[in-house]
Amino acid sequence: MVSAPPVHVLRLGHRRERDKRITSHLGLTARAFGADKFVLGGEEDPNVIETLESVSGRFGGDFQSHYEKKPMGWLRNFVQKDAGDGSPGVAIHLTMYGLPWKETIPEIPRDRPIAIVVGGAKVPGEVFGLCQYNISIGNQPHSEVAALAVFLQSWNPGGADASNFTGGLTVVPMESGKQILSPGESLD
Ligand code: SAM
């Protein structure tokens, strides 16, 4: 089966002290809902990357994350030159000022890698023109984590399926209680 083009999440404006929990949750949400790569922009914060690598190591899958010193340069290159396969990609900026997600997501091409851009501190005005899509998850101010989760679930409804996370611990869905299988262990 031909796999879909990769999904990147670019976090702009991370503030190491103020955003450490929410940026970690943003990366974990990106991973858990099917994104392939998390790009951290703003203040460098090894703790965030270590958290994401630790969860990926324990629960499997191929999720990757890295710190990007020049996130706007990364975004310009992604949109104008090379999204990882030598050709430009498509950037979607999540913002409360954008077009409604339900009507707009179906218009986004699916044959190119995408970069979902979320802000933290003040989002540079250039982002709005650089991204091919500015999409709102409702037009009220809320959270980058909620916005990303709704977008990813709409973009790929199967993104959170357990089958996407091989090689690590497997949580067995239970009516009550907890059950976790080690790599290679099965229920029967
Ligand atoms: N201070 C930032 C600014 O001035 O642009 C925005 C802060 S907001 C808490 C952080 C991020 O959450 C935004 O950049 C946007 O990516 C996302 N976000 C918040 N509300 C949203 C909405 N209604 N639709 C889409 N994204 C939203």
Side-chain angles (χ1 to χ4, degrees):
M1 183 176 82
V2 177
S3 61
V7 175
H8 305 66
V9 174
L10 172 61
R11 194 308 187 263
L12 297 174
H14 173 65
R15 295 156 290 194
R16 192 170 33 250
E17 281 316 306
R18 174 169 170 177
D19 296 332
K20 56 185 152 189
R21 272 176 64 81
I22 196 163
T23 298
S24 297
H25 290 178
L26 191 68
L28 292 174
T29 301
R31 176 184 174 279
F33 283 80
D36 301 283
K37 298 186 180 180
F38 183 75
V39 183
L40 175 62
E43 294 178 5
E44 187 160 15
D45 192 343
N47 293 332
V48 169
I49 304 298
E50 283 161 19
T51 297
L52 301 179
E53 288 176 345
S54 166
V55 168
S56 292
R58 281 185 291 136
F59 290 93
D62 304 316
F63 187 71
Q64 296 169 8
S65 56
H66 78 272
Y67 174 70
E68 183 57 54
K69 198 174 178 63
K70 297 182 176 176
M72 290 304 293
W74 183 93
L75 182 57
R76 282 187 215 100
N77 179 66
F78 186 95
V79 170
Q80 296 164 354
K81 289 194 190 127
D82 182 2
D85 61 0
S87 301
V90 176
I92 299 109
H93 174 215
L94 299 184
T95 171
M96 73 174 183
Y97 305 103
L99 293 176
W101 61 285
K102 287 179 193 168
E103 291 82 355
T104 314
I105 287 176
E107 297 171 7
I108 301 173
R110 288 184 170 266
D111 60 347
R112 298 299 306 131
I114 66 169
I116 305 160
V117 183
V118 291
K122 187 84 185 94
V123 176
E126 180 190 1
V127 172
F128 290 81
L130 197 52
C131 295
Q132 290 98 329
Y133 296 89
N134 291 283
I135 288 183
S136 60
I137 312 292
N139 294 108
Q140 298 297 316
H142 52 79
S143 157
E144 50 269 48
V145 177
L148 180 65
V150 170
F151 180 94
L152 284 174
Q153 182 58 27
S154 172
W155 180 256
N156 177 10
D161 291 356
S163 56
N164 298 319
F165 305 95
T166 54
L169 297 173
T170 301
V171 173
V172 178
M174 306 273 285
E175 188 174 346
S176 70
K178 299 178 191 174
Q179 187 174 3
I180 284 193
L181 299 177
S182 300
E185 195 181 355
S186 62
L187 276 176
D188 43 342

